[in-house]
Amino acid sequence: MKIVDHLLNGLNYQLIPARCACCQGPGQWRLDLCTACQAELPPAPSVLETSHGRVYAGSTFAAPLDSWIHAFKFHQDLTIGRLLAKLCAPGAHADLPEWLVPVPLHRKRLRMRGFNQALELARYWGRQHGIRVSKNALIRCRETAVQSQLDAQARLQNVQGAFSARAGLPAHVALVDDVYTTGATCAAAAEALQQAGVERVDVWCLARVL
Ligand SMILES: [Zn+2]
């Protein structure tokens, strides 16, 4: 979606002035949040070590980010999207990967939702760090149930074998997703990438559920 990409790249602050997403007062320079509300945000969690790589999250999953992520993902609220991408940038302390790989949606869900929030985040962060974004490295080869309605064990089974990766990938990539909960989706995606020869698969996400 061209328009989302354009809106997320920051140019549109001339069109939509920064306004605080919490209190509706004036925002900061190119940030839709005032300093007082920013001070109240949940802290960034520590880096999580997994068997496939490290998980970097910009924030802990808690209010008000939970509702902002919902607005971005399901209602394509692009002002909130650009705020989240900026505020919860996970790459600041990361050992930078060669590519960013957004967690893909199945094509049917992509058609229903209209855009993939993970791809938009990857484009934003890729531009910020000068990292290539590969939208075709992974595909979701079968439909899966919505993870948020399942318990941890069911989540693992739901996404098992749901991804396949293409050949010719670099040794170190980072998956991009909005929220990291049990890690089941990222583990299944990482497994497909590792089978295709990737050695290390980090995760960059907006928020992690603690
Ligand atoms: Zn405010």
Side-chain angles (χ1 to χ4, degrees), residues 3-65:
I3 186 159
V4 177
D5 195 28
H6 175 70
L7 284 167
L8 276 179
N9 78 9
L11 292 174
N12 62 323
Y13 282 92
Q14 287 142 10
L15 304 175
I16 314 168
R19 180 153 296 280
C20 179
C22 286
C23 68
Q24 310 306 315
Q28 300 171 62
W29 166 248
R30 295 203 157 202
L31 191 71
D32 303 286
L33 197 66
C34 73
T35 46
C37 293
Q38 187 172 10
E40 300 290 313
L41 291 181
S46 55
V47 176
L48 179 71
E49 300 280 351
T50 73
S51 58
H52 52 76
R54 293 188 173 141
V55 179
Y56 298 95
S59 175
T60 304
F61 189 72
L65 281 118

Side-chain angles (χ1 to χ4, degrees), residues 2-188:
K2 274 267 159 52
I3 186 159
V4 177
D5 195 28
H6 175 70
L7 284 167
L8 276 179
N9 78 9
L11 292 174
N12 62 323
Y13 282 92
Q14 287 142 10
L15 304 175
I16 314 168
R19 180 153 296 280
C20 179
C22 286
C23 68
Q24 310 306 315
Q28 300 171 62
W29 166 248
R30 295 203 157 202
L31 191 71
D32 303 286
L33 197 66
C34 73
T35 46
C37 293
Q38 187 172 10
E40 300 290 313
L41 291 181
S46 55
V47 176
L48 179 71
E49 300 280 351
T50 73
S51 58
H52 52 76
R54 293 188 173 141
V55 179
Y56 298 95
S59 175
T60 304
F61 189 72
L65 281 118
D66 47 1
S67 56
W68 290 352
I69 291 171
H70 185 93
F72 174 45
K73 187 169 176 174
F74 297 107
H75 303 290
Q76 299 192 25
D77 185 330
L78 304 172
T79 305
I80 286 294
R82 78 181 174 185
L83 172 63
L84 284 167
K86 206 170 254 206
L87 209 59
C88 302
H93 307 290
D95 179 3
L96 295 181
E98 291 163 87
W99 288 10
L100 292 178
V101 177
V103 172
L105 296 174
H106 189 267
R107 60 190 158 73
K108 281 192 189 157
R109 190 160 305 155
L110 180 62
R111 210 179 306 132
M112 256 162 49
R113 197 182 290 170
F115 86 134
N116 179 359
Q117 75 284 356
L119 173 59
E120 300 311 323
L121 292 171
R123 281 178 172 155
Y124 187 93
W125 293 332
R127 199 178 298 125
Q128 208 174 32
H129 293 282
I131 304 172
R132 175 173 169 178
V133 174
S134 174
K135 111 183 214 194
N136 304 316
L138 262 185
I139 59 159
R140 202 179 273 248
C141 43
R142 65 172 174 80
E143 280 187 276
T144 51
V146 176
Q147 290 282 82
S148 56
Q149 294 158 4
L150 306 171
D151 66 24
Q153 187 56 38
R155 280 172 186 244
L156 277 174
Q157 287 164 357
N158 183 40
V159 291
Q160 192 68 46
F163 298 95
S164 69
R166 70 168 173 84
L169 301 172
H172 180 195
V173 308
L175 286 166
V176 175
D177 208 355
D178 51 354
V179 180
Y180 187 93
T181 308
T182 63
T185 302
C186 286

